[in-house]
Every structure is written in C-alpha cells, then in structure tokens.
Amino acid sequence: MSDNLVITIGREHGSGGRYVGEKLAEKLGIKCYNSELVTETALKSGFSENFIADNEEKKPESLLFSIAMAYSVSGSQPVTMRLFNEQTKVIKELAQRESCIIIGRAADYILREHKNLLRVFLCAPLEDRISRICKTDKLSPNEAEKIIRKKDKQRAAFISFYSDRKWGLASNYDLCINTALFGIDGSVELLEKCAQSKMK
Amino acid sequence: MSDNLVITIGREHGSGGRYVGEKLAEKLGIKCYNSELVTETALKSGFSENFIADNEEKKPESLLFSIAMAYSVSGSQPVTMRLFNEQTKVIKELAQRESCIIIGRAADYILREHKNLLRVFLCAPLEDRISRICKTDKLSPNEAEKIIRKKDKQRAAFISFYSDRKWGLASNYDLCINTALFGIDGSVELLEKCAQSKMK
C-alpha cells in the first residue's frame, strides 16, 4: 500500500475549504483535487461533467425515484450510487498515485484504510460563511444563507448515507479548524506544519 | 471586559486532556484549572470537594428526583443546578482575573462572551483511549471501556442540558485535535503556536 500523504478536507459550505486547499497544495508542492475530481471522474466513468457536478456529494433521491432512475438508465443501481462508486475508484487511484489534497466527496471515509492520511474539517460561524458566499457568488445574505443551509444538509445526508459517520463530528477527523478565528492563511500555516511532520 | 487569553479544553474521556492542559500551561507560563476547579468551587460555594467531584459535569437527575432533592436541601433549584451556577461564577471570575486553561466544565459555553477565547476539543479513537485509561487507572480494557462510555455519555448530556450545543461537534470549537495522531507533545506544540499568536 502506498504511503503518499493524502490530506482530505471536509468543510462547512462557505468556510473557505477551496482556498485553504489550494494555498496548502501550493506550499506543499502537491495537487489539490476539488472540481478536478469532476473532470477525472467524467474521463473514467463516461458520466458528463455537468451530470457529475449536479449529483456528486448527494445521497440518492427517495427510494422510488432511485429505482425508477435505475431502470431508466442501464445498470441495476441508482445512478447517484454508480456515480459514487466511480468517484470512489478515482479517489483511490489518486491516493495510490501521488501525495495530494482532496476536498470533500467523503474522501476521508473512502480512504479510511490509507496509511498516511490527515483528515481535516473546516468550519466557521454562519455569519462569516454568509459573508464569504455573498462576496464569492455575488449573492444577497438571504440567498447565501439558503444555499449554505441546503449544501450543509446535502453533505451531512451524503456522508451519513455512504458511511456510518456523522458529518462534522470532531471524532471523525484528525484536525478541525475554525477558519474565522485563524483566517485562511493562519489555517494554511497550521496545516502546513502538520503536513510537513507527516511528509518527513 | 478582560482580554486575558482563556483556553478551554473539552475532551473525550481518555484522550489526554489533563496532560495536554498541564504541559501547555507550563509552556505558556499560565495555570491549568482541572481538579483545582473543584477546590475553588468548594471554597466559594460551601459544597464539599467530594460532593463537587461526584456531581460536576453532570446534568440533573430525572425531574422527580431533582425536585425531591431541591426541597430536601435549602433553595428552590436541584443541587446539581446550584453547583453548576456556583462553578459558573468561579469560571467567570478566573477568566476576569488571569490568562488560563480550563479543562471541561462547559467553560467554552460559560465563557462564550469572553473576548479572547480559544475553544479546544481533544479526541482519539476508542482503542487509544482504552489503552491510556488502562495504564493511568490500572483497569482492565473492559473496565476502562465501560468508564469511557459512561463519562462521555455524561459529558454529552451535561453540555446539551446547560447549552444548546452538541458535545464534540467541530463547529462548536476553534480547534479539535486527534491526540492519537499528534501525540500529547505534538498536540501541545500545535496549541502553543495557536496560543502564542493570540497572546501577542
């Protein structure tokens, strides 16, 4: 089994996971996989990038809907489950191939047997996340809050469906950071220190 | 309002909170309050140290029992609630008086308005915690596991009774550390760095 260092970053929506991941990757000289996972999964699975972006990190819809979907497309599994299985393969191959950072997608659970894993979770108070999403997505605070609540609910349901874990529970991670207190750069600095001690 | 740095350390039983707190206090040149809070609360409240040690960090017993207890002793509140109120006063006074570390006792919630607060939560996989408790308390693995599960359940119920928070949920803390991955010394080093940036 490979001993590449894989850093998985779970995150509350709007807590800055993307920025922390990208900056940390640059500091460590490794790649950060976020939307790149959509492209990689599309290449390997035949699903379109649009379909993946709309359906990843979600649990299957209601059972009846899933069954209907399953038989309307080839194969016997709901398509979201087939998508999860394809993305699982991509994530496992990445971990075998290189040291890297993987944002979301239950990678901490998928790679639970990986030898050199740093499982990170980023969070921040709701008001800070609203403020970030307002800026990045050019939304009103009300719209931003709605999206944040919806995304967090989807991620929690996704994790709970595919694993026996509760999303955001400290005991499922190695390090959880409030990015509002430490800032994006402060969080990166903290993680860089932890990662360096594991890359030695 | 004082801007003393107060570091609160919530912890899963057996994750090494006491050791991390004591070593960190030594490095930072401040005091760590753990069982010292029992003594301080006894001095201020008139409750005996034994009573406090047996009843702190617990929610009141069933309502009927609490009512019976309340009227069997002076005052109109269940005694465990009066104990919580007394310990709350002691914790608030400490935060006003000095920079310090406070282990458990819902101090993160009690001091939620304090300006310079670092809310830490320590956790570790069950097997590591069993191993630590076996050594420190000279217990068999079975006995250690029973005590760990009981303590964690009590702490979760205590926090949920007195606050609107879920014990161990990452979003209630600023930094959560898996002490099994970082070790006691590694965790202390990480926290020292965070604390120093806040003590400047």
Side-chain angles (χ1 to χ4, degrees), chain A:
Chain A
M1 190 185 266
S2 138
D3 62 355
N4 293 323
L5 171 62
V6 180
I7 303 172
T8 60
I9 301 187
R11 71 293 188 217
E12 290 184 334
H13 191 63
S15 63
R18 192 200 319 173
Y19 308 103
V20 170
E22 284 170 3
K23 286 198 170 188
L24 181 62
E26 207 184 312
K27 296 247 184 197
L28 297 173
I30 60 179
K31 274 196 194 161
C32 173
Y33 291 92
N34 190 9
S35 57
E36 295 80 358
L37 277 170
V38 173
T39 315
E40 291 257 351
T41 307
L43 279 171
K44 299 266 165 79
S45 68
F47 286 119
S48 77
E49 290 200 24
N50 279 347
F51 175 82
I52 297 170
D54 285 347
N55 288 282
E56 63 169 359
E57 293 198 279
K58 285 182 189 164
K59 75 178 181 73
E61 299 288 334
S62 72
L63 189 61
L64 276 177
F65 178 81
S66 299
I67 292 170
M69 284 294 284
Y71 290 98
S72 70
V73 190
S74 67
S76 58
Q77 276 182 324
V79 278
T80 44
M81 286 181 77
R82 288 201 290 127
L83 169 58
F84 179 76
N85 291 339
E86 293 294 337
Q87 210 164 49
T88 294
K89 278 189 228 161
V90 170
I91 287 171
K92 286 187 171 175
E93 279 169 21
L94 277 180
Q96 282 303 309
R97 194 173 74 198
E98 63 191 75
S99 289
C100 61
I101 296 169
I102 300 176
I103 310 281
R105 282 102 182 158
D108 55 329
Y109 172 71
I110 290 168
L111 298 176
R112 63 195 176 281
E113 307 288 345
H114 188 80
K115 223 167 56 182
N116 198 9
L117 189 64
L118 181 64
R119 302 164 304 162
V120 175
F121 187 79
L122 303 179
C123 49
L126 184 62
E127 55 273 26
D128 292 84
R129 299 189 283 134
I130 289 175
S131 158
R132 176 170 287 114
I133 294 297
C134 282
K135 277 184 213 148
T136 55
D137 296 5
K138 307 215 184 315
L139 295 175
S140 73
N142 270 352
E143 290 166 330
E145 182 172 348
K146 266 189 202 161
I147 287 182
I148 286 170
R149 290 193 186 277
K150 189 178 161 192
K151 282 270 188 187
D152 283 357
K153 206 172 157 187
Q154 276 173 352
R155 284 173 189 170
F158 166 71
I159 294 296
S160 139
F161 183 83
Y162 286 107
S163 75
D164 52 351
R165 298 179 181 189
K166 192 170 156 49
W167 180 75
L169 200 65
S171 55
N172 290 329
Y173 308 93
D174 299 312
L175 198 67
C176 306
I177 301 175
N178 171 7
T179 56
L181 187 78
F182 291 98
I184 297 294
D185 289 337
S187 305
V188 170
E189 205 179 311
L190 210 61
L191 286 166
E192 190 188 357
K193 201 174 141 58
C194 297
Q196 277 167 343
S197 74
K198 288 180 67 82
M199 284 177 106
K200 269 174 199 164

